[in-house]
Structures are given as C-alpha cells and as structure tokens.
Amino acid sequence: MASVNLLDENLLLWNEFRNGNADAFGELMRTHYPDLFNYGTRFTKDTELVKDCIQDLFLALWVNRLTISETSFVKYYLLKALRHSLTKAINRSRHRADPHFEYGFNSTPPVENSLIREEYLIDLARKMRKVLAGLSRRQQEVIYLRFYMDADTDEIAEIMSLSRQSVYNLLHDSLRRLRKVSPKKAFWFPHLLPLLF
C-alpha cells in the first residue's frame, strides 16, 4: 500500500513539475537524487561526472518541462535518462582515450555494506560477490535494477533499451549461476542480493 501511495505521490509531483511548479520539481530532485547518484557511480568512479550528469539531467527536465511526456514510473524514467546521459559523457570524456578504462556497470560497492554482520551471511555474501563479479556488466546491471531498484522486467528493458526477452534471459542466467553458490540457503537469496550492492 505504501508503494502505491509513493507511486501516486511521484506521479502527482511529476505532473505538477510539468506544469511549472518549482516546489514539486525540487521535491523530485530531493527524492530521486540518492538513487540516481548510487546508480551512476556503478558506471564510473568519477563522482563529479555523475553529479554533473544528474545536474544536467534535471536542468534539461526543467527547461523542457512543457514538452516532457507523462510517465507512470518517474524513478525508472530518470534512471534511463541518467544512463543515457552518462554513456554519452563517458564516451566523449578523457576516459575514452585511456586504454585501461572499461565502460560498463560495476557491481562492487564503494564501501563495505555494514548490514551483513552474521557469520553465515558474511560467508554467503563473499561467495555471491565472487560469482557476481564473474557476471557480465549487463548481467550485473540487470541484477542491480531488479533487486536493488525493485524494477520489473519491462522497466529494466526500458531503462537498458533491451527487449523484454533479453532482460529475462540475462536475469535467468544470472540467478541460476548465483543460486549454485548455496542451494540449501536459496531462501536467503532475494533478501541477500540487495545487500551486495
């Protein structure tokens, strides 16, 4: 019920922003900035570039507010827009000339997640991180969007500009490999994955 209310609130803010309400726009920025920043830092360690792209994204939204379409899923609209903006920025930045630079989603968290304290979870998380690191960048991103951002298959397909079937295949293969880590503790799996990011 709370998520439905949040969805309605986001939609209300979005429509008010499109009508020129600066307060609604400010609230949208405050609400979504943490998720956008966290998602953006999975593509590059250059936090200033991520901040710049988020700022440019919101500036473009405000400038084009009268022509921006309605959306039922504000967070996923913003995530897709940031992903597109970051891709362009990274491709034209100094990183492009760096032979050691690899563009793509990075599942490694910037700091160790302090929520994993109990010994069995620490061990399971270590094993799962190892498997996660062996997944392709796209598989890591699909896992992140599904379990950390709570996006469904259609929303992930929209954000990553993939077909629904491609998302399903990436997700299925990733989960199959991750479940092999500890089949007996599979019931922990959905609850543990968000802690890995």
Side-chain angles (χ1 to χ4, degrees), residues 3-15 17-18 28 32 68-79 150-152 154-155 158-159:
S3 61
V4 173
N5 292 339
L6 185 60
L7 209 70
D8 292 342
E9 185 180 325
N10 270 319
L11 186 56
L12 181 64
L13 285 172
W14 184 258
N15 288 331
F17 138 69
R18 289 170 61 230
L28 279 171
H32 295 286
I68 289 174
S69 59
E70 187 175 339
T71 179
S72 299
F73 302 99
V74 176
K75 179 164 84 169
Y76 304 122
Y77 180 99
L78 295 173
L79 287 172
D150 200 29
D152 65 25
D154 290 328
E155 291 157 349
E158 179 66 22
I159 291 167

Side-chain angles (χ1 to χ4, degrees), residues 24-36:
F25 181 66
E27 187 59 31
L28 279 171
M29 288 176 63
R30 280 188 293 280
T31 301
H32 295 286
Y33 187 92
D35 281 342
L36 290 169

Side-chain angles (χ1 to χ4, degrees), residues 41-167:
T41 55
R42 303 306 168 126
F43 291 94
T44 176
K45 293 178 182 176
D46 188 345
T47 56
E48 292 307 311
L49 179 64
V50 175
K51 290 176 185 175
D52 287 346
C53 284
I54 294 172
Q55 183 176 336
D56 290 347
L57 166 61
F58 279 111
L59 179 62
L61 286 173
W62 182 253
V63 169
N64 299 302
R65 63 191 178 278
L66 298 177
T67 58
I68 289 174
S69 59
E70 187 175 339
T71 179
S72 299
F73 302 99
V74 176
K75 179 164 84 169
Y76 304 122
Y77 180 99
L78 295 173
L79 287 172
K80 180 177 183 176
L82 177 62
R83 187 181 197 274
H84 178 72
S85 175
L86 264 176
T87 301
K88 284 174 59 178
I90 289 169
N91 284 338
R92 69 172 178 259
S93 74
R94 66 186 182 280
H95 300 303
R96 192 174 188 183
D98 182 352
H100 301 294
F101 177 77
E102 183 183 1
Y103 167 73
F105 189 79
N106 183 1
S107 65
T108 306
V111 287
E112 186 65 25
N113 195 315
S114 61
L115 295 176
I116 306 176
R117 299 190 193 281
E118 299 172 52
E119 192 59 39
Y120 64 94
L121 282 181
I122 291 172
D123 184 54
L124 185 54
R126 180 183 55 76
K127 290 175 184 174
M128 290 179 74
R129 280 194 179 121
K130 187 174 180 181
V131 174
L132 195 60
L135 297 177
S136 72
R137 301 274 183 167
R138 279 191 169 191
Q139 287 173 316
Q140 291 176 16
E141 186 175 359
V142 165
I143 292 288
Y144 178 85
L145 289 170
R146 176 66 190 94
F147 291 98
Y148 190 82
M149 292 295 186
D150 200 29
D152 65 25
T153 305
D154 290 328
E155 291 157 349
I156 296 169
E158 179 66 22
I159 291 167
M160 295 180 67
S161 300
L162 297 173
S163 71
R164 192 176 190 279
Q165 186 61 47
S166 294
V167 171

